[in-house]
Amino acid sequence: MTAGGWRLENDGYKRRNIRMSTNRNHPSGHGHDHDADVRELHSMGYAQELLRRMSGFSNFAISFAIICIVAGGLTAFQTGFNAAGGGAIGIGWPVGALFALIVALAMAQIASAYPTAGGLYHWSSILGGKGWGWATAWYNLLGLVFVVASVDVGLFFLLNGLILGPWFGVDLTQVGNIDLLGTTFSIPQFVIVTLIVVTQALFNHFGIRVTTLLTDFSGYLIFATAIVLTLALLAFAPSLDFGRLFTFTNYTGDPGAGVWPATDSLFKAFLLGLLLVCYTITGFDASAHTSEETRDAARIVPRGMIQAVFWSGLFGYVMVCALVLAMPSLDEGAGQGANVFYWLLGNSAMPGFLRALISVGIVLSNYLCALAGLTSLSRMTYAFARDGGLPGSNALKTVSAVYRTPVVAIWVGAALTVIGTLYAPAFTVLAAGCAVFLYLSYAMPIAAGLLAEGRSWKHKGPFNLGAFSRPVALLAIIGGLILAWVGFQPPNEKVLYVGAALAVVMVVIWFAFERRRFEGPPTGEKILARQAEIAAIEERLRQGQESTPLREREAAS
């Protein structure tokens, strides 16, 4: 890689060495790292529109916040435990966490080479062609919508089960339920989730500074909440039988309250239980989606992804093991179905004030988890739109000159999230869809990189797996296929229907329209041709900020 750019050829994609002068008055940062980041972005044909102020910890924290072990690890606990019992936790969690870490390593290497917002789409386009990138973008967008929708629906149930019920004696799941198109529609759930999403969109709207402060705080909050919950459960457990963690029990069917349909195969039950950890440890592509807001992104982004997955896997393992160890009876716990965590916490001998403190930490962590998810969704939408990949791209790629955020993409993402919660009675469908579609979108650029490495892909960033690159990529792809199979199993077969329908629609649309219209990321001569446009965009944003009152400008930056 030269100081001015890099060169790559792949199916007509060609980057020319270009040397750009950096806008020294750019209000998004200072120093060599910022200048180098902007030059790198210019060399890929993009303007520095977003505010580049995220530190290494902030980049780690946004992925750690979306993973949020006290979100999926608790709200989806039954998908693991009610499959194969304690062994699904004691053995299944490390297996799933190792798979997630392998995927993160493979993604981190590509992110280091191509540090752009909407990274997965860009990586797939460069390494596998614009059609492959276009398909990756759609699967990633769908997965991100499912992330925010599933977490906010889970937040409603946590708010109801941990705060409203125990403190005020109110159970909103029992009121306002109507039949809508053959399924139960909860009016209280819809109203509360909508209000939650609107506030999350507002925080995102008013600048990356606000979002970063909240996600940085959430990093500490998640650690603290998980540690306090773990210690409290173990300290007040009736007894501690560590053998539970390595004992498999088939809780599919009636013994597990129907969380999973009955199967005679304990091995299949074990595989089904992997959905817990794969749903929990996902969304770490947020570090890549915020590349253009992160200083020294080629180094920091890979580190942020890997560390977020590693620490989530480690602390999450200790926490979910504590849930199993603290149960008075495993059979009774499995019989609680989706209410197993509420049953366990409510029957714990821990003091009431400690239970209340933990409950508040869990609810707040889940709120910030979905907030970070909306940040990731909006950046992916913005990145795909600036290359013309979405209907209404001209509006969706708009960046506020005051707040330096993609405001239209944020609010469209919020609207899609609310729509995604309309089928919220089937929470596990949202959880399974989130895991399947996101890991599918992760596997697509990894597969493209596996085929392109050593041929058209010769440019590597500071983070390089070296001789382990191909084996890691191959394991990540195999794991992704296994996860897809798990996510398609009943009662989540609707995930298969949605995924298959999307694939058919995408094939039709691509060959009928988009193959000729959609150009993908800028390459070769187009990068050079866009330099004047890049300068004009950055100048417009600079003038917009200068005309903004100082108080608003300081609040945004």
Side-chain angles (χ1 to χ4, degrees):
M1 180 172 176
T2 66
W6 44 269
R7 187 180 183 89
L8 169 73
E9 296 184 11
N10 180 47
D11 295 333
Y13 281 79
K14 183 181 293 184
R15 296 232 172 171
R16 299 290 182 86
N17 288 327
I18 59 176
R19 193 173 294 273
M20 290 294 303
S21 62
T22 304
N23 182 355
R24 301 289 177 176
N25 296 321
H26 200 285
S28 56
H30 306 282
H32 171 77
D33 286 343
H34 172 258
D35 292 350
D37 285 330
V38 174
R39 285 196 299 270
E40 178 82 3
L41 193 57
H42 287 175
S43 76
M44 290 186 278
Y46 298 118
Q48 181 67 62
E49 296 183 86
L50 305 176
L51 197 62
R52 196 180 289 272
R53 71 176 308 279
M54 293 181 72
S55 65
F57 180 80
S58 297
N59 186 270
F60 153 81
I62 195 167
S63 282
F64 189 69
I66 295 181
I67 293 172
C68 191
I69 54 177
V70 294
L74 301 181
T75 57
F77 177 76
Q78 67 277 4
T79 64
F81 178 70
N82 287 37
I89 305 301
I91 298 175
W93 183 283
V95 170
L98 178 61
F99 159 64
L101 184 61
I102 288 172
V103 173
L105 286 168
M107 288 172 58
Q109 178 177 238
I110 308 176
S112 183
Y114 312 113
T116 64
L120 291 94
Y121 145 72
H122 196 93
W123 309 339
S124 283
S125 297
I126 295 297
L127 298 174
K130 64 179 185 178
W132 194 244
W134 184 82
T136 300
W138 280 106
Y139 276 117
N140 189 240
L141 284 171
L142 185 60
L144 289 171
V145 170
F146 273 48
V147 165
V148 187
S150 63
V151 174
D152 276 335
V153 169
L155 175 58
F156 167 79
F157 288 119
L158 289 168
L159 183 65
N160 185 73
L162 298 180
I163 306 294
L164 298 181
W167 295 11
F168 304 103
V170 175
D171 185 358
L172 292 181
T173 64
Q174 301 302 313
V175 298
N177 295 315
I178 62 173
D179 183 76
L180 182 65
L181 301 177
T183 187
T184 302
F185 177 77
S186 170
I187 295 175
Q189 176 179 308
F190 175 75
V191 171
I192 290 177
V193 168
T194 300
L195 291 174
I196 289 171
V197 173
V198 167
T199 61
Q200 291 163 341
L202 285 170
F203 280 124
N204 272 281
H205 181 114
F206 291 120
I208 191 62
R209 180 176 183 270
V210 176
T211 306
T212 298
L213 288 173
L214 290 172
T215 53
D216 284 359
F217 168 71
S218 75
Y220 298 109
L221 179 65
I222 292 167
F223 273 125
T225 302
I227 291 170
V228 173
L229 172 62
T230 299
L231 294 177
L233 288 174
L234 295 178
F236 295 97
S239 62
L240 296 177
D241 178 7
F242 289 92
R244 291 177 169 185
L245 300 174
F246 310 101
T247 302
F248 291 98
T249 306
N250 190 339
Y251 283 133
T252 60
D254 291 338
V259 170
W260 291 106
T263 176
D264 294 330
S265 172
L266 191 58
F267 180 66
K268 179 180 179 181
F270 172 77
L271 292 179
L272 294 175
L274 293 178
L275 182 61
L276 165 62
V277 62
C278 292
Y279 167 61
T280 302
I281 307 182
T282 193
F284 47 88
D285 51 322
S287 290
H289 289 315
T290 53
S291 291
E292 293 177 28
E293 294 157 279
T294 301
R295 303 184 188 115
D296 196 14
R299 298 178 186 277
I300 295 300
V301 168
R303 188 187 311 162
M305 279 195 288
I306 294 169
Q307 290 182 346
V309 171
F310 176 79
W311 291 113
S312 295
L314 180 60
F315 277 80
Y317 180 58
V318 177
M319 183 189 73
V320 293
C321 284
L323 296 180
V324 175
L325 294 172
M327 287 186 192
S329 164
L330 296 189
D331 291 344
E332 189 178 352
Q336 303 299 316
N339 292 319
V340 58
F341 173 68
Y342 306 105
W343 166 80
L344 176 59
L345 188 65
N347 288 282
S348 173
M350 72 176 68
F353 80 90
L354 186 57
R355 185 183 296 109
L357 181 66
I358 291 171
S359 298
V360 171
I362 291 171
V363 169
L364 186 54
S365 295
N366 275 260
Y367 177 87
L368 295 175
C369 170
L371 182 147
L374 185 57
T375 305
S376 187
L377 171 59
S378 67
R379 273 35 174 199
M380 178 62 211
T381 303
Y382 154 78
F384 196 28
R386 69 180 171 185
D387 288 333
L390 291 168
S393 286
N394 286 336
L396 290 169
K397 69 180 182 181
T398 302
V399 173
S400 166
V402 177
Y403 301 110
R404 304 300 290 273
T405 55
V407 291
V408 178
I410 289 169
W411 288 102
V412 169
L416 291 173
T417 296
V418 172
I419 293 171
T421 66
L422 295 180
Y423 191 69
F427 168 76
T428 55
V429 173
L430 290 173
C434 156
V436 168
F437 295 133
L438 279 186
Y439 273 104
L440 179 61
S441 70
Y442 298 168
M444 291 177 74
I446 293 173
L450 178 64
L451 296 176
E453 186 165 357
R455 297 181 178 88
S456 56
W457 182 26
K458 298 178 181 179
H459 162 74
K460 295 285 186 73
F463 181 79
N464 187 344
L465 293 173
F468 295 100
S469 179
R470 286 189 174 91
V472 166
L474 186 60
L475 289 173
I477 295 166
I478 293 172
L481 293 175
I482 295 173
L483 175 61
W485 176 84
V486 171
F488 293 151
Q489 297 305 300
N492 304 320
E493 62 272 15
K494 290 182 176 62
V495 176
L496 174 60
Y497 304 155
V498 172
L502 180 61
V504 171
V505 170
M506 284 195 303
V507 168
V508 171
I509 292 177
W510 175 256
F511 285 101
F513 308 104
E514 294 296 88
R515 183 174 58 169
R516 292 181 294 274
R517 187 201 67 83
F518 180 64
E519 297 182 355
T523 58
E525 299 294 341
K526 293 179 182 178
I527 294 177
L528 295 174
R530 289 186 67 168
Q531 299 310 311
E533 180 185 351
I534 288 171
I537 291 172
E538 293 181 351
E539 178 63 19
R540 174 182 60 80
L541 292 172
R542 184 186 65 80
Q543 292 179 357
Q545 281 212 317
E546 288 181 350
S547 64
T548 302
L550 180 61
R551 182 177 299 176
E552 289 186 40
R553 195 159 67 236
E554 289 177 344
S557 62

